[in-house]
Amino acid sequence: MSDRSLLSIDDLDVAGIREIVELSDAFEEVLRRPIPKVPALRGRTVANVFFEDSTRTRLSFEIAAKRLSADTVNFTASGSSLSKGESLFDTIRTLHAMGVDAFVVRHRAPGAARRVDGWVDTPVINAGDGAHEHPTQALLDLVTVHRRRGDVEGLRCVMVGDIEHSRVARSTIGAFTMMGMHVSVAAPATLLPTGIDDWPVDVVEDLDTALEKADVVYMLRMQKERIARDPVLPSLREYVARYGLTAERARRLPPEVVLMHPGPMNRGVEIAPEATEHPGAAIEEQVRNGVTVRMAVLYLALGGMP
Amino acid sequence: MTRIALRGGRVWTGAGTEVADIVVADGSVVAVGPAAAAGSGTDDLDASGCLVLPGFVDLHVHLRVPGGEDAEDVWTGSAAAAAGGFCDIVAIGNTQPPYDTASVVRTVRAEAEAAGLVRVHPAGCVTRGRNGKDLAELHELHRAGCRVFTDDGTPVADAAIMRRALEYVKGFDGVVADHCEERSLTDGAQMHEGRVSGRLGLQGWPAAAEEIIVARDIVLAEHTGSRVHLQHLSTAGSVEMVRQAKARGVRVTAEVTPHHLTLTDDLVEGFDPVFKVNPPIRGEEHVLAVRTGLADGTIDAVATDHAPHTAEVKEEWTDAACGMLGLETAASLVWNLVADGTITLDRMVHAMCTNPARIASLPVRDAITPGVTADLCVFDPEATWEVDAVGLRSKATNSPYAGMTLTGRVRHTLLDGRPTLRDGEIAAPVPPVGGSRAW
């Protein structure tokens, strides 16, 4: 276990989040240089251990590590590790024995990164553990709002869609509310987690009413495959009508709104192609900010270590 | 045969305890009373400060034999039972092969007799290969010694099969024991559905999934007039339905595990798979309800659902197998409920001895008086001990109580007048080569 690990957004307090936001701003300046690279983590090795397919997040961490001059190794295996006769414990201990300085872990199972953290003394960064948490996503979301709107305190965010199965929701709601934002969630009851009334959010049924007061509109990915397994929705068509950010809904949003999506987008489902052209759309900025935020997180996890 | 004297214990009289000595000879209690063991020539066991209770009966043990011997075998499982104060255990047949033929049942019984530390009563399967479709040869299993029939964690989903099973075993007073789970509601479930599951992003196992089958089984027992036994009750709604059914005379009995009496779902927050079990550990309101149910007699028995698993299948929560060790910690945990006033000692004796024996059609041992079989548990209510998972007799180490300090511990266990546990040590014959911890 390492006290430099980042497993949950709750591992951070307001000061810790501010530090990451400021560092991220500093690294944004690095990215604009002709040679966008600093030697901060030269000689350190970061292992990206991905038990679930996620090219975007893995590349983002890899670029972040390389901008800091760290060496990176990638381990990718999808599906159940046990079903393949592969032990998560053995995989991690093997990489640990090779001399890795930090683990970036993505796994389809909630709590996997926390388990890994219990097995090694090096920092572990949670890059998404099932429907549980995705803390670097939360931090890049916060940085994105901050860069668009300055002080985030008091801003109103409407988060729309599948809260129940979303690690982004669990982490980003935590980060936004910790920094003083108000969050409402809009979703059919079948996509809300048990105990949502204990969360620091308002639950709204009608999206259009909620959008009227929103400073930030956060659309979550709707997994089309889910409907086949579990009848959470009668049809995607009905979902889009009730909760999709259609072109028509996007037209009613003011230009200063911050329109976000964690990617990858289902264009035409939760978000219409036209909506991504809205001046408020910050989806590519989120991706870019993901690099600087992950640079900040890796720097804090590994910087200054012997 | 040597006469054994248990000196200075508080002996269960059927209604309370009295300080008395006990003399045991030829497998039976021959004398009980103050200074009954005066004189010499006896093998003395110190029972001072201890409760002397009838040996415990566990309705729900996964002995893992045959096919799961990497997690537990007859020797280690029997030793764990003896260390826990048990004289009889009902072994559940979710094994490879399952207990769906008389020959498998006879083999398990024979192996357990060779170990000689506890009487093992295999529970027959309800359906062949636990397939939920074709009734196993239930009378043949009965002739091989089965009195309890269960398909364990793959409960009989089809109400018509359940009805026929209940009717068929009625003729020979068998009982169908059901793991109550409506599986269409628990597909992919990882923990109790509640605030904690919502926060952790783990798929929930709703209380309703248990209660739906509890309701069905009660209705079918009422309809057929047969006995049904409900395993490891875990929800407030289940307890209330059983309470009402008993009030109107339905032949329903129920058990609860020590873990559902003591652990809550917030323990899942650390994602340690040692807490993963089916049915899952639930919210506090459910824990309080099963405690009340045990206290008022709605729940008849405490059964451990002792479920050893190797470390390899307890690595990471989502992939991990369900189940936890229970035999060696049960008495302490139930005693703690007596000590804090939740239940009476009378309820403890009934829940751990007389009621499970009655449910499994075993000889019922209650008051310790001259003439009764000397199946005894000598329990020191003052002893404190830290649970060391590796030090437990089970081959596996998946105890959720590891590292915790418990109060009360079994000091001696007598089976048919012979010590199987003596001063906390297994009084065992040497296991044959290949047995015990040879894995």
Side-chain angles (χ1 to χ4, degrees), chain B residues 220-282:
Chain B
L220 285 175
E222 195 162 18
H223 181 71
T224 58
S226 303
R227 284 205 291 148
V228 71
H229 176 68
L230 307 178
Q231 296 176 314
H232 41 51
L233 235 53
S234 70
T235 81
S238 298
V239 173
E240 186 50 35
M241 280 189 280
V242 172
R243 188 176 286 126
Q244 290 172 11
K246 285 188 164 184
R248 63 177 192 272
V250 182
R251 300 175 74 201
V252 57
T253 54
E255 70 187 33
V256 63
T257 68
H259 48 273
H260 289 113
L261 288 164
T262 54
L263 305 178
T264 48
D265 61 343
D266 51 336
L267 289 163
V268 180
E269 281 172 2
F271 294 101
D272 184 341
V274 80
F275 296 111
K276 188 173 176 182
V277 65
N278 188 15
I281 52 176
R282 297 197 184 272

Side-chain angles (χ1 to χ4, degrees), chain B residues 346-369:
Chain B
D346 183 69
R347 285 298 308 147
M348 176 173 173
V349 171
H350 285 111
M352 296 199 62
C353 311
T354 57
N355 289 342
R358 212 167 271 130
I359 290 163
S361 304
L362 300 171
V364 175
R365 298 177 300 269
D366 192 355
I368 298 168
T369 53

Side-chain angles (χ1 to χ4, degrees), chain B residues 58-393:
Chain B
D58 193 343
L59 287 169
H60 202 141
V61 175
H62 295 275
L63 202 54
R64 301 284 184 235
V65 178
E69 289 87 349
D70 50 343
E72 192 82 286
D73 62 34
V74 162
W75 295 91
T76 57
S78 298
F86 291 93
C87 288
D88 294 271
I89 60 175
V90 174
I92 304 296
N94 62 332
T95 47
Q96 281 299 335
Y99 301 169
D100 64 350
T101 59
S103 63
V104 175
V105 168
R106 287 197 195 95
T107 304
V108 173
R109 290 172 69 94
E111 286 189 27
E113 274 169 34
L117 292 170
V118 66
R119 286 181 293 262
V120 173
H121 310 278
C125 298
V126 177
T127 63
R128 291 175 205 224
R130 300 164 58 231
N131 71 3
K133 296 189 183 93
D134 313 300
L135 286 185
E137 291 172 333
L138 299 172
H139 188 257
E140 190 83 356
L141 290 167
H142 179 259
R143 278 164 51 93
C146 297
R147 297 293 179 269
V148 179
F149 299 90
T150 179
D151 275 355
D152 187 54
T154 52
V156 180
D158 187 316
I161 304 283
M162 186 65 178
R163 174 212 175 142
R164 290 307 184 205
L166 287 166
E167 287 173 338
Y168 195 81
V169 302
K170 190 180 172 187
F172 42 89
D173 199 32
V175 63
V176 177
D178 207 13
H179 164 119
C180 298
E181 176 179 352
E182 169 51 52
R183 297 177 94 197
S184 66
L185 286 173
T186 60
D187 185 29
Q190 293 289 336
M191 67 171 295
H192 172 57
E193 180 178 302
R195 294 171 192 286
V196 181
S197 69
R199 215 160 54 229
L200 299 183
L202 285 168
Q203 192 182 320
W205 196 127
E210 174 172 303
E211 291 157 7
I212 284 168
I213 301 297
V214 166
R216 180 200 74 170
D217 287 353
I218 287 170
V219 169
L220 285 175
E222 195 162 18
H223 181 71
T224 58
S226 303
R227 284 205 291 148
V228 71
H229 176 68
L230 307 178
Q231 296 176 314
H232 41 51
L233 235 53
S234 70
T235 81
S238 298
V239 173
E240 186 50 35
M241 280 189 280
V242 172
R243 188 176 286 126
Q244 290 172 11
K246 285 188 164 184
R248 63 177 192 272
V250 182
R251 300 175 74 201
V252 57
T253 54
E255 70 187 33
V256 63
T257 68
H259 48 273
H260 289 113
L261 288 164
T262 54
L263 305 178
T264 48
D265 61 343
D266 51 336
L267 289 163
V268 180
E269 281 172 2
F271 294 101
D272 184 341
V274 80
F275 296 111
K276 188 173 176 182
V277 65
N278 188 15
I281 52 176
R282 297 197 184 272
E284 196 183 359
E285 70 277 24
H286 297 293
V287 173
L288 294 175
V290 293
R291 286 182 175 197
T292 304
L294 182 64
D296 69 16
T298 300
I299 295 175
D300 302 87
V302 171
T304 63
D305 196 4
H306 178 81
H309 284 295
T310 61
E312 298 86 83
V313 296
K314 282 288 193 183
E315 226 177 42
E316 175 281 309
W317 187 278
T318 297
D319 281 336
C322 292
M324 40 180 68
L325 299 183
L327 283 168
E328 292 170 77
T329 46
S332 307
L333 296 163
V334 176
W335 168 253
N336 282 343
L337 297 178
V338 176
D340 72 14
T342 304
I343 63 171
T344 60
L345 178 62
D346 183 69
R347 285 298 308 147
M348 176 173 173
V349 171
H350 285 111
M352 296 199 62
C353 311
T354 57
N355 289 342
R358 212 167 271 130
I359 290 163
S361 304
L362 300 171
V364 175
R365 298 177 300 269
D366 192 355
I368 298 168
T369 53
V372 303
T373 304
D375 292 333
L376 302 171
C377 169
V378 180
F379 182 79
D380 180 353
E382 306 291 333
T384 59
W385 59 295
E386 187 181 324
V387 181
D388 166 21
V390 177
L392 294 174
R393 272 72 172 195

